Amino acid sequence: MAEQDKNLEKEEQEKKIAEEAVEKNADGDVSAPDSASKAEKGEGQEEALDRKKKNRKEDKAYKEKIDELEDRVKRQMAEFENFRKRTEKEKNAMFDVGAKSVIEKILPVVDNFERGLATVPEDEKAGAFADGMNMIYKQLIGELDKLGVKPIEAVGKEFDPNLHNAVMQTTSEELESGYVAQELLKGYTYHDMVIRHSMVAVVE
């Protein structure tokens, strides 16, 4: 009987030890996943922060690149606009130089027309020939006027070295000293540019 009691007591001890071991293992099994999940969660947050920082750096780099390209495009557009204006100005200047050269060659023809018309006798001015020549002269002057060629006003105006070329001095009872009394050769301008100075006589 005593033997049997010992065996029962031993079995109970072994059973208790086994239960404690099971509980211990159970506690370890439960706690292990919690620790792992916490570690994984921490690692996930760290990776998310790293990705966020990386994205911010990439966004900043892209923005800087875009700003650089926009600045380059603006500079190129400004350079092109300056080039276009400069080319247009040079083209106009070349056209004016060419036009001036042609006009200078036409002006002696105009001078000869005026001299010819001035020598027509009074009794022939109403004739068909003189009338036709006068019409041609007016047409020529009209076309020059459309091109921007204007005669320089001289007689009765104060002498201006930018417009007049004084070739002689004279006296006048009507005009003050320094004023143009006579025009010897008519001068012309082209778009405010002097093609030929007026040759004048100036009052002393």
Side-chain angles (χ1 to χ4, degrees):
M1 197 68 179
E3 181 92 18
Q4 190 175 3
D5 289 338
K6 285 181 181 179
N7 290 334
L8 287 172
E9 186 176 350
K10 188 177 180 182
E11 287 177 2
E12 286 179 2
Q13 287 178 355
E14 290 177 352
K15 185 178 180 182
K16 187 176 181 181
I17 290 170
E19 287 176 354
E20 288 177 357
V22 169
E23 288 178 2
K24 188 175 181 181
N25 289 335
D27 293 340
D29 292 340
V30 171
S31 61
D34 289 343
S35 300
S37 63
K38 288 180 181 179
E40 289 175 359
K41 188 175 181 181
E43 290 176 1
Q45 289 178 347
E46 189 173 347
E47 288 178 1
L49 288 173
D50 290 341
R51 281 197 303 271
K52 196 170 183 181
K53 288 179 181 178
K54 186 178 179 181
N55 290 338
R56 284 179 180 174
K57 287 181 180 179
E58 289 178 351
D59 290 345
K60 186 178 179 181
Y62 288 144
K63 188 176 183 304
E64 289 176 354
K65 189 65 177 177
I66 290 170
D67 291 342
E68 181 184 348
L69 292 173
E70 285 182 349
D71 183 65
R72 189 181 301 175
V73 169
K74 288 178 181 178
R75 288 176 182 274
Q76 289 178 346
M77 290 179 67
E79 288 177 2
F80 176 77
E81 184 64 19
N82 291 335
F83 171 76
R84 188 189 65 79
K85 289 179 179 179
R86 187 169 60 253
T87 303
E88 188 71 20
K89 187 176 181 180
E90 290 174 356
K91 185 178 72 174
N92 291 336
M94 290 176 65
F95 179 83
D96 288 342
V97 169
K100 180 181 177 182
S101 177
V102 173
I103 293 166
E104 285 175 343
K105 293 176 181 178
I106 293 176
L107 292 181
V109 179
V110 176
D111 296 336
N112 288 332
F113 256 109
E114 292 176 345
R115 292 190 187 101
L117 292 172
T119 59
V120 176
E122 287 293 330
D123 58 342
E124 294 182 11
K125 285 186 178 180
F129 178 75
D131 189 50
M133 293 296 289
N134 195 43
M135 289 176 64
I136 294 172
Y137 168 74
K138 288 181 178 179
Q139 184 180 9
L140 179 59
I141 293 298
E143 293 300 323
L144 289 174
D145 184 71
K146 290 178 183 177
L147 291 173
V149 180
K150 308 288 184 183
I152 296 173
E153 295 184 8
V155 177
K157 300 292 182 180
E158 187 175 2
F159 175 76
D160 184 351
N162 296 317
L163 301 174
H164 309 134
N165 182 17
V167 295
M168 60 180 293
Q169 290 185 325
T170 185
T171 57
S172 174
E173 296 179 357
E174 300 176 355
L175 298 172
E176 299 178 4
S177 176
Y179 279 76
V180 177
Q182 184 181 2
E183 184 180 58
L184 306 175
L185 182 65
K186 190 179 293 184
Y188 291 89
T189 60
Y190 170 67
H191 295 309
D192 299 327
M193 177 173 59
V194 176
I195 299 291
R196 187 176 72 187
H197 290 76
S198 298
M199 295 179 65
V200 298
V202 182
V203 179
E204 294 182 290

